[in-house]
Amino acid sequence: MMMKYYIKTFGCQMNERDSEKIESILQESGFEKSNLKEADVIIVNSCAVREKSEKKIFSEIGRIKNINKKAKVVAMGCVAQIYPEKLSKISDVVLGTTSIYDFKNFFNKDLRDFKAIFVSNQIINPDYIFGHLKKPTAYIDIIYGCNNFCTYCVVPYTRLREISRSYKNILQEINNVVENGAKEVILLGQNVNSYNFDGVNFIRLLEMINKIDKLKRIRFVTSHPKDFSEDLAIAMSQLDKVCEHLHLPLQSGSDRVLRLMRRKYTFKEFAKKVEYFRKYNPKGSITSDIIVGFPMETEDDFKQTIKALEEIKFDEIYSFKYSNRPFAKASLMPNQVSDEEKAKRLNIIQNLQSKISEQINKSYLNSEHEVLIESKAKISNQMQARTRTNKIVNIDNTYFNLKEGDIVNVKITKINKHSFNGEICIN
Ligand code: SAH
Ligand code: SF4
């Protein structure tokens, strides 16, 4: 009988990619995906970016053990990297972010001696090319780790120092996924703009990837504002496969708070980067991240964030209440903002952003866009697709035969809160 696995992933795209690596290792060993109840191996991939996300791995493992007592449990990801001992008490294998290659060498079908802790102080074999599942969009790691040490952030401790992967291996990996049917890649890194391998920088890397024949689209996350340049804005407009969407995390509109966060830019400098992007990519979209209630954030600082959102007009923001993190300097700062006040501020900016997003999205009505079909939509007979500007479009497929990976032109016919409806343009 085939052995089975179940995997649960919390957190960012890097975690999703790491989970996919584990799935490909398991599948190569003859395991198949199943539900929680029937699994022989259960993997939980954890996120440590906020306190609330960190707690999830503990409650998830508790839940799992209630439903399936016999399965072996692997606790992996960012929480595993910083708290291996704590997790080894409730799981069989602890797997840090550094050690997926070690897990590959360790893993086999015989689960009798399935007990180990894999955590290292450096990433093991960062160049290794792990497998991918068959999908229209493939995540590709290009740079691991982070050297920025923003004072609120745990990531430099969970993902360690920056290390770029060899461009030869990146190109090889992209060729592999494209041969397997992928049409789009999303290049991943905490700070993709600081990619550098043997003198090849991020722009050179994009130029190389842009030449891959069967590949149709290139996206990337995340750009640190301090490293986003006019040259990159130009490259984005000139390289036909690079999509016109930029995720540029602002965090706060107050220069005082930005300094306390150690973000290394002022609001004015940030606005200049947005101006570059829009100058060369006038139809492009910009999204951002905002933290409210950073220690010592006054009412006036918060007003600066509101002003910044009104001025820049992002297409969408991901906004968070500040959360104290282990190792991160800000957790030692005085004048922590109360949870009640943070909730109030979060609510204010989310309401403001809804209005701004609604305004921007309205301008899409009746316009035509190229979309990539990603999957079946929740509503039957509909497919879910994405514009180059990262907007989700649901398309009625009753009279068509659209498949995952198809690229078609659609006319936007309806604007919903988090997606559009579109009709195929027949030329
Ligand atoms: N490397 C990326 C993303 C890192 S984490 C970058 O620099 O942008 C993703 C987002 O989580 C951050 O942009 C930030 O807005 C948020 N975040 C990180 N640490 C946080 C904390 N301690 N409390 C609340 N939000 C946090
Ligand atoms: Fe965290 Fe800052 Fe690094 Fe992003 S750049 S991962 S926010 S330390």
Side-chain angles (χ1 to χ4, degrees):
M1 218 173 66
M2 239 179 164
M3 301 273 265
K4 297 186 172 70
Y5 72 89
Y6 172 83
I7 188 159
K8 172 84 191 178
T9 307
F10 297 106
C12 65
Q13 290 106 324
M14 270 149 253
N15 267 15
E16 280 179 36
R17 173 65 188 133
D18 287 346
S19 288
E20 187 184 39
K21 292 174 190 170
I22 297 295
E23 286 200 66
S24 81
I25 294 169
L26 293 164
Q27 290 186 3
E28 279 162 24
S29 306
F31 277 63
E32 69 175 349
K33 201 172 191 152
S34 80
N35 58 29
L36 174 53
K37 224 171 166 173
E38 288 165 17
D40 302 287
V41 176
I42 293 169
I43 302 104
V44 187
N45 195 352
S46 59
C47 170
V49 80
R50 282 167 291 275
E51 194 185 349
K52 217 165 121 191
S53 53
E54 182 184 301
K55 283 191 175 141
K56 285 185 184 161
I57 187 168
F58 296 96
S59 56
E60 181 67 8
I61 291 178
R63 185 180 81 91
I64 282 166
K65 290 195 164 164
N66 273 330
I67 297 171
N68 181 341
K69 288 189 176 58
K70 68 166 202 331
K72 301 286 184 187
V73 177
V74 181
M76 67 179 284
C78 286
V79 183
Q81 183 70 28
I82 51 174
Y83 297 135
E85 284 80 23
K86 218 161 141 185
L87 281 171
S88 73
K89 293 197 180 90
I90 54 169
S91 59
D92 300 286
V93 170
V94 178
L95 181 58
T97 57
T98 48
S99 306
I100 294 177
Y101 184 76
D102 272 355
F103 182 76
K104 182 183 167 57
N105 290 339
F106 163 81
F107 190 74
N108 62 49
K109 263 188 172 162
D110 184 358
L111 295 175
R112 267 175 306 182
D113 299 319
F114 200 70
K115 186 93 197 145
I117 296 182
F118 296 108
V119 175
S120 164
N121 59 9
Q122 59 183 39
I123 296 165
I124 296 160
N125 204 350
D127 268 324
Y128 188 79
I129 300 174
F130 288 96
H132 284 257
L133 306 178
K134 202 173 155 53
K135 276 190 228 143
T137 295
Y139 288 129
I140 308 285
D141 293 305
I142 64 162
I143 177 168
Y144 292 110
C146 182
N147 291 349
N148 286 316
F149 293 93
C150 301
T151 56
Y152 51 81
C153 188
V154 73
V155 171
Y157 306 92
T158 64
R159 296 257 166 197
L160 311 185
R161 288 307 68 72
E162 267 178 15
I163 175 165
S164 295
R165 290 181 74 199
S166 116
Y167 54 87
K168 285 194 187 123
N169 290 43
I170 293 170
L171 293 171
Q172 178 63 54
E173 188 168 326
I174 298 177
N175 275 312
N176 294 352
V177 295
V178 166
E179 284 308 317
N180 207 14
K183 296 286 162 47
E184 175 182 75
V185 289
I186 303 182
L187 310 177
L188 298 180
Q190 296 302 339
N191 185 10
V192 290
N193 298 155
S194 53
Y195 178 84
N196 197 314
F197 190 93
D198 268 358
V200 170
N201 65 15
F202 185 56
I203 294 175
R204 279 288 298 131
L205 181 69
L206 287 177
E207 288 166 357
M208 288 177 180
I209 298 172
N210 200 64
K211 291 201 180 102
I212 296 177
D213 229 10
K214 290 183 192 158
L215 181 69
K216 302 296 179 206
R217 287 180 169 190
I218 305 168
R219 300 180 183 279
F220 53 85
V221 275
T222 299
S223 290
H224 193 296
K226 78 174 161 58
D227 300 316
F228 184 84
S229 63
E230 184 167 16
D231 285 348
L232 179 52
I234 294 171
M236 287 179 82
S237 75
Q238 288 178 345
L239 298 170
D240 60 325
K241 294 177 185 172
V242 177
C243 290
E244 298 75 30
H245 167 236
L246 178 65
H247 184 64
L248 202 64
L250 169 63
Q251 314 298 2
S252 168
S254 151
D255 287 344
R256 199 181 73 89
V257 172
L258 287 171
R259 211 164 39 244
L260 290 168
M261 289 177 162
R262 205 193 282 141
R263 287 292 286 181
K264 302 178 188 129
Y265 53 83
T266 60
F267 174 66
K268 214 169 148 198
E269 284 161 349
F270 181 93
K272 188 86 200 153
K273 309 275 170 147
V274 171
E275 206 181 299
Y276 289 147
F277 175 76
R278 285 180 170 157
K279 177 172 164 198
Y280 300 102
N281 304 274
K283 292 196 172 145
S285 64
I286 306 192
T287 53
S288 196
D289 293 345
I290 298 287
I291 297 175
V292 298
F294 188 81
M296 296 183 266
E297 182 187 80
T298 62
E299 193 60 42
D300 193 53
D301 291 319
F302 176 62
K303 281 195 185 128
Q304 303 290 315
T305 299
I306 294 177
K307 219 172 118 220
L309 295 179
E310 284 169 340
E311 208 175 304
I312 303 261
K313 294 192 166 51
F314 295 111
D315 284 73
E316 191 57 85
I317 60 166
Y318 303 90
S319 48
F320 313 101
K321 289 192 272 182
Y322 165 79
S323 164
N324 275 330
R325 297 291 58 225
F327 316 107
K329 285 252 162 63
S331 59
L332 306 172
M333 287 179 183
N335 298 340
Q336 299 263 335
V337 178
S338 74
D339 195 60
E340 199 188 343
E341 185 59 32
K342 283 185 216 170
K344 203 178 105 198
R345 291 181 188 177
L346 188 68
N347 196 27
I348 292 172
I349 64 161
Q350 289 183 340
N351 283 335
L352 169 63
Q353 183 59 43
S354 296
K355 291 200 190 93
I356 295 170
S357 297
E358 199 185 318
Q359 271 292 319
I360 295 174
N361 287 341
K362 259 193 203 159
S363 70
Y364 273 73
L365 194 63
N366 294 324
S367 61
E368 280 186 26
H369 292 268
E370 177 209 283
V371 296
L372 168 65
I373 310 290
E374 293 184 339
S375 58
K376 286 203 166 74
K378 285 190 191 100
I379 302 171
S380 70
N381 291 335
Q382 288 198 1
M383 298 300 277
Q384 183 175 306
R386 201 175 288 265
T387 66
R388 291 175 62 97
T389 54
N390 211 34
K391 310 273 183 187
I392 291 173
V393 186
N394 291 314
I395 305 163
D396 187 67
N397 202 20
T398 316
Y399 304 109
F400 297 93
N401 187 23
L402 293 174
K403 292 181 297 303
E404 289 182 4
D406 287 351
I407 292 181
V408 291
N409 286 329
V410 296
K411 186 173 156 187
I412 306 300
T413 53
K414 188 165 175 262
I415 311 293
N416 311 308
K417 197 159 169 35
H418 297 291
S419 66
F420 300 156
N421 289 19
E423 279 171 8
I424 297 179
C425 302
I426 301 164
N427 301 317

